[in-house]
Amino acid sequence: MRAFTTLTGVAAPLPKANVDTDQIIPARFLKSISRSGFGKNLFANFRFKEDGSENPDFVLNQEPYRKAEVLIAFENFGCGSSREHAPWALLDFGIRCVIAPDFADIFHNNCFKNGVLPVRLPKDVCAQLMEDAKLGANARITVDLEREVVVRPNGEEIPFKIDPLRRHLMLNGLDDIGQTMQHAPAIDSFEAKQKAAQPWLYA
Amino acid sequence: MSAQKPRTLFDKIWDAHVVETLPDGTALLYIDLHLTHEVTTPQAFDGLRAAGRGIRRPEATLGVIDHNIATDSSRYTGIVDPESALQVATLEKNAAEFGMPLIPLLDERQGIVHVIGPELGRSLPGMTIVCGDSHTSTHGAMGALAFGIGTSEVEHVLATQTLLQKPAKNMRISVDGNLAFGCSGKDIVLAIIGRIGTAGGTGHVIEYAGDAIRALDMAGRMTVCNMTIEGGARAGMVAPDQTTYDYIARTPNGPKGAALARAMEWWKTLPTDAGAHFDTELRLNAHEIAPQVTWGTNPEAVLPITGIVPNPADVTDEAKRAQTQRMVDYMGLTPGQRLTDLKVDVVFIGSCTNSRIEDIRAAAAIAKGRRVADGVRAMVVPGSGLVKKAAEAEGLDRILKEAGFEWREAGCSMCLGMNPDKLTPGQRSASTSNRNFEGRQGPGGRTHLLSPAMAAAAALAGHLADVRDYQPKEAL
Ligand code: SF4
């Protein structure tokens, strides 16, 4: 996993609540067996018209948001299916950070496993950042995970909080399977105890 | 330990599976059963391969093919879509390479992952169960802690049989009294989501309690737990009771004899202790729930079938008003229109929410001796090969086919628009599945969620209809 330390870039405003994972990447594009290549179908139902041509009204089809690295949205972002293809599609498109008032649990987890940083900020702050984002290329936003601040284009710093363990893994680009493997003896002894107490689970 | 603090069903299962607690409070949680399917696993196996890792407990892992396959007869002659075929072949290859048990596509036990787990007796009370699919919450109906995970977590469980998890909050939703005529588990859960909203359960595990839940059969409980995720909760559960034990005794792979007796001893200690703490509590009266149908593009946009399409102008909150307007437009509705006036093009009875034998019986009871309305395509997709076989043994397939329904092979089918069963743009469906998101059943498709009996009534009427007006003509 690529480490996430700090990022300065264009932020795309997506003023919607309940952006579900079927919107982020519709199921018909989930047939790939690799992790890459999903970016071209990110938000496909919004980005493309029925005939396959671009919908010029959708934010990611407009300059400078075609190169957006941050996405700002409203409540319950990433609800619905558990598909990790959602953060893969964001990442493949180039979006490495999503800012919203809150996130659905599984999507939130999935982001951390892929170096996409989900930042929770109160709704009024998101609305403010959304206004900043509308200023386009002249209004870059900085997301600094080290210091846990979002820096507005006017230099104002907005603090946010990330779970310490996740922050550590993200900052260092660490794979948590390797970490867990270090607990193998504890897992062994758990299994031995469980097998004695609940043998039907091992039948 | 004496005088232990009263605990909830969730607390007890959680405590019994904590391998270690890390300094920041994250638990390394042991996973008893890991179910896998073709869509969310290929990248996880790639990860294992790249790191030179294997599956820690293949016998606690079970694969099945369900999401991307057609539900017509093409599975017998070869999957037509090359990408789907590759995804299926990849799961088969990975299963062979890593020693993971896999139910073959043409096996009679094949079916939707959340149907087959309980049905085979693999999903049991007190277990921790995960799958790379959000509707894993379904298995909570067995009295298990079951939740969906992403592909990286699938890889983590394959390699370590554990997951890193933060404890959840406890919520209890009690549904008291008797369910009214014409209503089912689906109506209960839709009414609950209408109350709490799509994010109402965020951070919680929900335990369903109360007489109306106790009175549900296992299929009804699975429907309720299945849609828990649509309320934003991590998992839904129902404490095991005699209904659960009787169900397990009938499964092919559940514990038998002395093993069952021993398991039951433990299972009986699982129900929530008197006085246990819930962070959030909600009570509903079952008899106040009428047959439900969604009108918008998230499951919270739900009304009794007697309702009318809301008027966005009546919504005071600006963002909500815009959202309501967007839903009305997308769904092709007129404010004030009666829901029963909405003509349907497609009726889909299936999905991990409602494709069990009880669901098919409910639909067949309404359909028997009647005809699907002209111009309506109505399909019934059993949740598994075993459900299909049981339904055929009862003659339900014949009743449904005579009424004009298609009778298909098991799979996810029109639930998600990734296999050939899809809506075309603008088509309106009455669907027993769980998500009515924009484009969920195919780009531009318009989905109304409802119970199997309500779906059957809509098929006969040609429009959304009140099942209470369509009582069975004759006994099944
Ligand atoms: S039936 Fe639908 S919701 Fe259930 S597992 Fe399949 S695609 Fe997912």
Side-chain angles (χ1 to χ4, degrees), chain B residues 353-374:
Chain B
T353 316
N354 283 120
S355 62
R356 299 179 180 83
I357 186 73
E358 294 82 351
D359 300 314
I360 294 172
R361 280 189 202 126
I366 304 291
K368 187 169 187 185
R370 297 190 171 112
R371 284 292 306 169
V372 170
D374 285 344

mmCIF file with all atom_site columns, all heavy atoms in Angstrom, chain B residues 353-374:
data_model
loop_
_atom_site.group_PDB
_atom_site.id
_atom_site.type_symbol
_atom_site.label_atom_id
_atom_site.label_alt_id
_atom_site.label_comp_id
_atom_site.label_asym_id
_atom_site.label_entity_id
_atom_site.label_seq_id
_atom_site.pdbx_PDB_ins_code
_atom_site.Cartn_x
_atom_site.Cartn_y
_atom_site.Cartn_z
_atom_site.occupancy
_atom_site.B_iso_or_equiv
_atom_site.pdbx_formal_charge
_atom_site.auth_seq_id
_atom_site.auth_comp_id
_atom_site.auth_asym_id
_atom_site.auth_atom_id
_atom_site.pdbx_PDB_model_num
ATOM 1   N N   . THR B 1 353 ? -32.369 -11.518 0.276   1.00 0.00 ? 353 THR B N   1
ATOM 2   C CA  . THR B 1 353 ? -33.368 -11.013 1.208   1.00 0.00 ? 353 THR B CA  1
ATOM 3   C C   . THR B 1 353 ? -34.599 -11.921 1.228   1.00 0.00 ? 353 THR B C   1
ATOM 4   O O   . THR B 1 353 ? -35.149 -12.216 2.286   1.00 0.00 ? 353 THR B O   1
ATOM 5   C CB  . THR B 1 353 ? -33.801 -9.585  0.804   1.00 0.00 ? 353 THR B CB  1
ATOM 6   O OG1 . THR B 1 353 ? -32.649 -8.841  0.468   1.00 0.00 ? 353 THR B OG1 1
ATOM 7   C CG2 . THR B 1 353 ? -34.542 -8.890  1.920   1.00 0.00 ? 353 THR B CG2 1
ATOM 8   N N   . ASN B 1 354 ? -35.041 -12.341 0.065   1.00 0.00 ? 354 ASN B N   1
ATOM 9   C CA  . ASN B 1 354 ? -36.317 -13.058 -0.042  1.00 0.00 ? 354 ASN B CA  1
ATOM 10  C C   . ASN B 1 354 ? -36.316 -14.102 -1.150  1.00 0.00 ? 354 ASN B C   1
ATOM 11  O O   . ASN B 1 354 ? -37.021 -13.946 -2.153  1.00 0.00 ? 354 ASN B O   1
ATOM 12  C CB  . ASN B 1 354 ? -37.455 -12.065 -0.350  1.00 0.00 ? 354 ASN B CB  1
ATOM 13  C CG  . ASN B 1 354 ? -37.913 -11.255 0.850   1.00 0.00 ? 354 ASN B CG  1
ATOM 14  O OD1 . ASN B 1 354 ? -37.844 -10.037 0.834   1.00 0.00 ? 354 ASN B OD1 1
ATOM 15  N ND2 . ASN B 1 354 ? -38.382 -11.915 1.885   1.00 0.00 ? 354 ASN B ND2 1
ATOM 16  N N   . SER B 1 355 ? -35.542 -15.165 -0.989  1.00 0.00 ? 355 SER B N   1
ATOM 17  C CA  . SER B 1 355 ? -35.560 -16.206 -2.028  1.00 0.00 ? 355 SER B CA  1
ATOM 18  C C   . SER B 1 355 ? -35.602 -17.587 -1.413  1.00 0.00 ? 355 SER B C   1
ATOM 19  O O   . SER B 1 355 ? -35.246 -18.565 -2.051  1.00 0.00 ? 355 SER B O   1
ATOM 20  C CB  . SER B 1 355 ? -34.311 -16.078 -2.892  1.00 0.00 ? 355 SER B CB  1
ATOM 21  O OG  . SER B 1 355 ? -33.175 -16.294 -2.073  1.00 0.00 ? 355 SER B OG  1
ATOM 22  N N   . ARG B 1 356 ? -36.022 -17.638 -0.148  1.00 0.00 ? 356 ARG B N   1
ATOM 23  C CA  . ARG B 1 356 ? -36.059 -18.933 0.536   1.00 0.00 ? 356 ARG B CA  1
ATOM 24  C C   . ARG B 1 356 ? -37.410 -19.598 0.287   1.00 0.00 ? 356 ARG B C   1
ATOM 25  O O   . ARG B 1 356 ? -38.331 -18.972 -0.218  1.00 0.00 ? 356 ARG B O   1
ATOM 26  C CB  . ARG B 1 356 ? -35.769 -18.737 2.027   1.00 0.00 ? 356 ARG B CB  1
ATOM 27  C CG  . ARG B 1 356 ? -34.378 -18.146 2.207   1.00 0.00 ? 356 ARG B CG  1
ATOM 28  C CD  . ARG B 1 356 ? -33.941 -17.866 3.620   1.00 0.00 ? 356 ARG B CD  1
ATOM 29  N NE  . ARG B 1 356 ? -32.595 -17.298 3.561   1.00 0.00 ? 356 ARG B NE  1
ATOM 30  C CZ  . ARG B 1 356 ? -32.344 -16.002 3.333   1.00 0.00 ? 356 ARG B CZ  1
ATOM 31  N NH1 . ARG B 1 356 ? -33.349 -15.146 3.220   1.00 0.00 ? 356 ARG B NH1 1
ATOM 32  N NH2 . ARG B 1 356 ? -31.112 -15.577 3.218   1.00 0.00 ? 356 ARG B NH2 1
ATOM 33  N N   . ILE B 1 357 ? -37.508 -20.846 0.681   1.00 0.00 ? 357 ILE B N   1
ATOM 34  C CA  . ILE B 1 357 ? -38.724 -21.596 0.362   1.00 0.00 ? 357 ILE B CA  1
ATOM 35  C C   . ILE B 1 357 ? -39.968 -20.899 0.935   1.00 0.00 ? 357 ILE B C   1
ATOM 36  O O   . ILE B 1 357 ? -41.016 -20.826 0.285   1.00 0.00 ? 357 ILE B O   1
ATOM 37  C CB  . ILE B 1 357 ? -38.594 -23.072 0.838   1.00 0.00 ? 357 ILE B CB  1
ATOM 38  C CG1 . ILE B 1 357 ? -39.786 -23.903 0.395   1.00 0.00 ? 357 ILE B CG1 1
ATOM 39  C CG2 . ILE B 1 357 ? -38.446 -23.182 2.347   1.00 0.00 ? 357 ILE B CG2 1
ATOM 40  C CD1 . ILE B 1 357 ? -39.797 -24.215 -1.071  1.00 0.00 ? 357 ILE B CD1 1
ATOM 41  N N   . GLU B 1 358 ? -39.852 -20.317 2.116   1.00 0.00 ? 358 GLU B N   1
ATOM 42  C CA  . GLU B 1 358 ? -40.991 -19.632 2.724   1.00 0.00 ? 358 GLU B CA  1
ATOM 43  C C   . GLU B 1 358 ? -41.422 -18.441 1.873   1.00 0.00 ? 358 GLU B C   1
ATOM 44  O O   . GLU B 1 358 ? -42.614 -18.135 1.771   1.00 0.00 ? 358 GLU B O   1
ATOM 45  C CB  . GLU B 1 358 ? -40.629 -19.145 4.138   1.00 0.00 ? 358 GLU B CB  1
ATOM 46  C CG  . GLU B 1 358 ? -40.359 -20.256 5.154   1.00 0.00 ? 358 GLU B CG  1
ATOM 47  C CD  . GLU B 1 358 ? -38.937 -20.830 5.096   1.00 0.00 ? 358 GLU B CD  1
ATOM 48  O OE1 . GLU B 1 358 ? -38.166 -20.507 4.155   1.00 0.00 ? 358 GLU B OE1 1
ATOM 49  O OE2 . GLU B 1 358 ? -38.596 -21.629 6.002   1.00 0.00 ? 358 GLU B OE2 1
ATOM 50  N N   . ASP B 1 359 ? -40.437 -17.746 1.285   1.00 0.00 ? 359 ASP B N   1
ATOM 51  C CA  . ASP B 1 359 ? -40.738 -16.588 0.444   1.00 0.00 ? 359 ASP B CA  1
ATOM 52  C C   . ASP B 1 359 ? -41.457 -17.028 -0.828  1.00 0.00 ? 359 ASP B C   1
ATOM 53  O O   . ASP B 1 359 ? -42.384 -16.379 -1.300  1.00 0.00 ? 359 ASP B O   1
ATOM 54  C CB  . ASP B 1 359 ? -39.435 -15.862 0.060   1.00 0.00 ? 359 ASP B CB  1
ATOM 55  C CG  . ASP B 1 359 ? -38.679 -15.359 1.287   1.00 0.00 ? 359 ASP B CG  1
ATOM 56  O OD1 . ASP B 1 359 ? -39.308 -14.761 2.171   1.00 0.00 ? 359 ASP B OD1 1
ATOM 57  O OD2 . ASP B 1 359 ? -37.451 -15.578 1.354   1.00 0.00 ? 359 ASP B OD2 1
ATOM 58  N N   . ILE B 1 360 ? -40.985 -18.148 -1.371  1.00 0.00 ? 360 ILE B N   1
ATOM 59  C CA  . ILE B 1 360 ? -41.586 -18.632 -2.616  1.00 0.00 ? 360 ILE B CA  1
ATOM 60  C C   . ILE B 1 360 ? -42.998 -19.147 -2.350  1.00 0.00 ? 360 ILE B C   1
ATOM 61  O O   . ILE B 1 360 ? -43.909 -18.918 -3.135  1.00 0.00 ? 360 ILE B O   1
ATOM 62  C CB  . ILE B 1 360 ? -40.660 -19.686 -3.264  1.00 0.00 ? 360 ILE B CB  1
ATOM 63  C CG1 . ILE B 1 360 ? -39.377 -18.951 -3.693  1.00 0.00 ? 360 ILE B CG1 1
ATOM 64  C CG2 . ILE B 1 360 ? -41.318 -20.367 -4.447  1.00 0.00 ? 360 ILE B CG2 1
ATOM 65  C CD1 . ILE B 1 360 ? -38.277 -19.830 -4.178  1.00 0.00 ? 360 ILE B CD1 1
ATOM 66  N N   . ARG B 1 361 ? -43.173 -19.779 -1.186  1.00 0.00 ? 361 ARG B N   1
ATOM 67  C CA  . ARG B 1 361 ? -44.536 -20.197 -0.810  1.00 0.00 ? 361 ARG B CA  1
ATOM 68  C C   . ARG B 1 361 ? -45.456 -18.982 -0.708  1.00 0.00 ? 361 ARG B C   1
ATOM 69  O O   . ARG B 1 361 ? -46.603 -19.020 -1.157  1.00 0.00 ? 361 ARG B O   1
ATOM 70  C CB  . ARG B 1 361 ? -44.523 -20.905 0.546   1.00 0.00 ? 361 ARG B CB  1
ATOM 71  C CG  . ARG B 1 361 ? -44.089 -22.332 0.474   1.00 0.00 ? 361 ARG B CG  1
ATOM 72  C CD  . ARG B 1 361 ? -44.313 -23.016 1.840   1.00 0.00 ? 361 ARG B CD  1
ATOM 73  N NE  . ARG B 1 361 ? -43.448 -24.172 1.929   1.00 0.00 ? 361 ARG B NE  1
ATOM 74  C CZ  . ARG B 1 361 ? -42.588 -24.401 2.933   1.00 0.00 ? 361 ARG B CZ  1
ATOM 75  N NH1 . ARG B 1 361 ? -42.513 -23.571 3.969   1.00 0.00 ? 361 ARG B NH1 1
ATOM 76  N NH2 . ARG B 1 361 ? -41.833 -25.475 2.914   1.00 0.00 ? 361 ARG B NH2 1
ATOM 77  N N   . ALA B 1 362 ? -44.969 -17.911 -0.101  1.00 0.00 ? 362 ALA B N   1
ATOM 78  C CA  . ALA B 1 362 ? -45.807 -16.718 0.084   1.00 0.00 ? 362 ALA B CA  1
ATOM 79  C C   . ALA B 1 362 ? -46.230 -16.148 -1.268  1.00 0.00 ? 362 ALA B C   1
ATOM 80  O O   . ALA B 1 362 ? -47.385 -15.745 -1.456  1.00 0.00 ? 362 ALA B O   1
ATOM 81  C CB  . ALA B 1 362 ? -45.052 -15.660 0.892   1.00 0.00 ? 362 ALA B CB  1
ATOM 82  N N   . ALA B 1 363 ? -45.297 -16.131 -2.216  1.00 0.00 ? 363 ALA B N   1
ATOM 83  C CA  . ALA B 1 363 ? -45.629 -15.615 -3.552  1.00 0.00 ? 363 ALA B CA  1
ATOM 84  C C   . ALA B 1 363 ? -46.593 -16.557 -4.263  1.00 0.00 ? 363 ALA B C   1
ATOM 85  O O   . ALA B 1 363 ? -47.580 -16.121 -4.872  1.00 0.00 ? 363 ALA B O   1
ATOM 86  C CB  . ALA B 1 363 ? -44.349 -15.442 -4.365  1.00 0.00 ? 363 ALA B CB  1
ATOM 87  N N   . ALA B 1 364 ? -46.329 -17.858 -4.151  1.00 0.00 ? 364 ALA B N   1
ATOM 88  C CA  . ALA B 1 364 ? -47.165 -18.835 -4.851  1.00 0.00 ? 364 ALA B CA  1
ATOM 89  C C   . ALA B 1 364 ? -48.592 -18.829 -4.302  1.00 0.00 ? 364 ALA B C   1
ATOM 90  O O   . ALA B 1 364 ? -49.559 -19.007 -5.049  1.00 0.00 ? 364 ALA B O   1
ATOM 91  C CB  . ALA B 1 364 ? -46.550 -20.230 -4.739  1.00 0.00 ? 364 ALA B CB  1
ATOM 92  N N   . ALA B 1 365 ? -48.726 -18.602 -2.991  1.00 0.00 ? 365 ALA B N   1
ATOM 93  C CA  . ALA B 1 365 ? -50.063 -18.588 -2.390  1.00 0.00 ? 365 ALA B CA  1
ATOM 94  C C   . ALA B 1 365 ? -50.917 -17.493 -3.013  1.00 0.00 ? 365 ALA B C   1
ATOM 95  O O   . ALA B 1 365 ? -52.112 -17.676 -3.257  1.00 0.00 ? 365 ALA B O   1
ATOM 96  C CB  . ALA B 1 365 ? -49.957 -18.378 -0.877  1.00 0.00 ? 365 ALA B CB  1
ATOM 97  N N   . ILE B 1 366 ? -50.294 -16.351 -3.297  1.00 0.00 ? 366 ILE B N   1
ATOM 98  C CA  . ILE B 1 366 ? -51.040 -15.237 -3.888  1.00 0.00 ? 366 ILE B CA  1
ATOM 99  C C   . ILE B 1 366 ? -51.288 -15.505 -5.380  1.00 0.00 ? 366 ILE B C   1
ATOM 100 O O   . ILE B 1 366 ? -52.333 -15.176 -5.928  1.00 0.00 ? 366 ILE B O   1
ATOM 101 C CB  . ILE B 1 366 ? -50.241 -13.910 -3.728  1.00 0.00 ? 366 ILE B CB  1
ATOM 102 C CG1 . ILE B 1 366 ? -49.908 -13.634 -2.261  1.00 0.00 ? 366 ILE B CG1 1
ATOM 103 C CG2 . ILE B 1 366 ? -50.979 -12.729 -4.355  1.00 0.00 ? 366 ILE B CG2 1
ATOM 104 C CD1 . ILE B 1 366 ? -51.064 -13.282 -1.389  1.00 0.00 ? 366 ILE B CD1 1
ATOM 105 N N   . ALA B 1 367 ? -50.304 -16.124 -6.029  1.00 0.00 ? 367 ALA B N   1
ATOM 106 C CA  . ALA B 1 367 ? -50.380 -16.308 -7.483  1.00 0.00 ? 367 ALA B CA  1
ATOM 107 C C   . ALA B 1 367 ? -51.296 -17.452 -7.903  1.00 0.00 ? 367 ALA B C   1
ATOM 108 O O   . ALA B 1 367 ? -51.810 -17.463 -9.023  1.00 0.00 ? 367 ALA B O   1
ATOM 109 C CB  . ALA B 1 367 ? -48.973 -16.562 -8.039  1.00 0.00 ? 367 ALA B CB  1
ATOM 110 N N   . LYS B 1 368 ? -51.517 -18.384 -7.015  1.00 0.00 ? 368 LYS B N   1
ATOM 111 C CA  . LYS B 1 368 ? -52.225 -19.615 -7.392  1.00 0.00 ? 368 LYS B CA  1
ATOM 112 C C   . LYS B 1 368 ? -53.604 -19.323 -8.001  1.00 0.00 ? 368 LYS B C   1
ATOM 113 O O   . LYS B 1 368 ? -54.422 -18.611 -7.423  1.00 0.00 ? 368 LYS B O   1
ATOM 114 C CB  . LYS B 1 368 ? -52.391 -20.518 -6.169  1.00 0.00 ? 368 LYS B CB  1
ATOM 115 C CG  . LYS B 1 368 ? -52.956 -21.872 -6.540  1.00 0.00 ? 368 LYS B CG  1
ATOM 116 C CD  . LYS B 1 368 ? -52.898 -22.868 -5.409  1.00 0.00 ? 368 LYS B CD  1
ATOM 117 C CE  . LYS B 1 368 ? -53.333 -24.231 -5.940  1.00 0.00 ? 368 LYS B CE  1
ATOM 118 N NZ  . LYS B 1 368 ? -53.423 -25.225 -4.886  1.00 0.00 ? 368 LYS B NZ  1
ATOM 119 N N   . GLY B 1 369 ? -53.797 -19.859 -9.176  1.00 0.00 ? 369 GLY B N   1
ATOM 120 C CA  . GLY B 1 369 ? -55.099 -19.715 -9.829  1.00 0.00 ? 369 GLY B CA  1
ATOM 121 C C   . GLY B 1 369 ? -55.321 -18.350 -10.456 1.00 0.00 ? 369 GLY B C   1
ATOM 122 O O   . GLY B 1 369 ? -56.431 -18.028 -10.876 1.00 0.00 ? 369 GLY B O   1
ATOM 123 N N   . ARG B 1 370 ? -54.281 -17.529 -10.510 1.00 0.00 ? 370 ARG B N   1
ATOM 124 C CA  . ARG B 1 370 ? -54.416 -16.198 -11.118 1.00 0.00 ? 370 ARG B CA  1
ATOM 125 C C   . ARG B 1 370 ? -53.402 -16.044 -12.245 1.00 0.00 ? 370 ARG B C   1
ATOM 126 O O   . ARG B 1 370 ? -52.599 -16.938 -12.499 1.00 0.00 ? 370 ARG B O   1
ATOM 127 C CB  . ARG B 1 370 ? -54.206 -15.119 -10.047 1.00 0.00 ? 370 ARG B CB  1
ATOM 128 C CG  . ARG B 1 370 ? -55.235 -15.141 -8.918  1.00 0.00 ? 370 ARG B CG  1
ATOM 129 C CD  . ARG B 1 370 ? -55.070 -13.890 -8.071  1.00 0.00 ? 370 ARG B CD  1
ATOM 130 N NE  . ARG B 1 370 ? -56.138 -13.718 -7.106  1.00 0.00 ? 370 ARG B NE  1
ATOM 131 C CZ  . ARG B 1 370 ? -55.967 -13.817 -5.781  1.00 0.00 ? 370 ARG B CZ  1
ATOM 132 N NH1 . ARG B 1 370 ? -54.786 -14.106 -5.264  1.00 0.00 ? 370 ARG B NH1 1
ATOM 133 N NH2 . ARG B 1 370 ? -56.976 -13.626 -4.970  1.00 0.00 ? 370 ARG B NH2 1
ATOM 134 N N   . ARG B 1 371 ? -53.410 -14.877 -12.911 1.00 0.00 ? 371 ARG B N   1
ATOM 135 C CA  . ARG B 1 371 ? -52.508 -14.652 -14.041 1.00 0.00 ? 371 ARG B CA  1
ATOM 136 C C   . ARG B 1 371 ? -51.717 -13.367 -13.869 1.00 0.00 ? 371 ARG B C   1
ATOM 137 O O   . ARG B 1 371 ? -52.259 -12.353 -13.440 1.00 0.00 ? 371 ARG B O   1
ATOM 138 C CB  . ARG B 1 371 ? -53.300 -14.504 -15.357 1.00 0.00 ? 371 ARG B CB  1
ATOM 139 C CG  . ARG B 1 371 ? -53.850 -15.783 -15.951 1.00 0.00 ? 371 ARG B CG  1
ATOM 140 C CD  . ARG B 1 371 ? -52.788 -16.730 -16.484 1.00 0.00 ? 371 ARG B CD  1
ATOM 141 N NE  . ARG B 1 371 ? -51.871 -16.112 -17.458 1.00 0.00 ? 371 ARG B NE  1
ATOM 142 C CZ  . ARG B 1 371 ? -50.763 -16.689 -17.887 1.00 0.00 ? 371 ARG B CZ  1
ATOM 143 N NH1 . ARG B 1 371 ? -50.403 -17.874 -17.432 1.00 0.00 ? 371 ARG B NH1 1
ATOM 144 N NH2 . ARG B 1 371 ? -49.992 -16.074 -18.759 1.00 0.00 ? 371 ARG B NH2 1
ATOM 145 N N   . VAL B 1 372 ? -50.464 -13.415 -14.262 1.00 0.00 ? 372 VAL B N   1
ATOM 146 C CA  . VAL B 1 372 ? -49.647 -12.201 -14.311 1.00 0.00 ? 372 VAL B CA  1
ATOM 147 C C   . VAL B 1 372 ? -50.256 -11.260 -15.355 1.00 0.00 ? 372 VAL B C   1
ATOM 148 O O   . VAL B 1 372 ? -50.670 -11.702 -16.425 1.00 0.00 ? 372 VAL B O   1
ATOM 149 C CB  . VAL B 1 372 ? -48.185 -12.559 -14.704 1.00 0.00 ? 372 VAL B CB  1
ATOM 150 C CG1 . VAL B 1 372 ? -47.369 -11.297 -14.996 1.00 0.00 ? 372 VAL B CG1 1
ATOM 151 C CG2 . VAL B 1 372 ? -47.531 -13.370 -13.597 1.00 0.00 ? 372 VAL B CG2 1
ATOM 152 N N   . ALA B 1 373 ? -50.337 -9.970  -15.024 1.00 0.00 ? 373 ALA B N   1
ATOM 153 C CA  . ALA B 1 373 ? -50.951 -8.990  -15.934 1.00 0.00 ? 373 ALA B CA  1
ATOM 154 C C   . ALA B 1 373 ? -50.194 -8.925  -17.253 1.00 0.00 ? 373 ALA B C   1
ATOM 155 O O   . ALA B 1 373 ? -48.974 -9.151  -17.296 1.00 0.00 ? 373 ALA B O   1
ATOM 156 C CB  . ALA B 1 373 ? -50.970 -7.615  -15.273 1.00 0.00 ? 373 ALA B CB  1
ATOM 157 N N   . ASP B 1 374 ? -50.906 -8.597  -18.312 1.00 0.00 ? 374 ASP B N   1
ATOM 158 C CA  . ASP B 1 374 ? -50.281 -8.467  -19.634 1.00 0.00 ? 374 ASP B CA  1
ATOM 159 C C   . ASP B 1 374 ? -49.182 -7.416  -19.586 1.00 0.00 ? 374 ASP B C   1
ATOM 160 O O   . ASP B 1 374 ? -49.339 -6.382  -18.961 1.00 0.00 ? 374 ASP B O   1
ATOM 161 C CB  . ASP B 1 374 ? -51.319 -8.022  -20.679 1.00 0.00 ? 374 ASP B CB  1
ATOM 162 C CG  . ASP B 1 374 ? -52.236 -9.170  -21.041 1.00 0.00 ? 374 ASP B CG  1
ATOM 163 O OD1 . ASP B 1 374 ? -51.874 -10.328 -20.725 1.00 0.00 ? 374 ASP B OD1 1
ATOM 164 O OD2 . ASP B 1 374 ? -53.312 -8.904  -21.610 1.00 0.00 ? 374 ASP B OD2 1
#
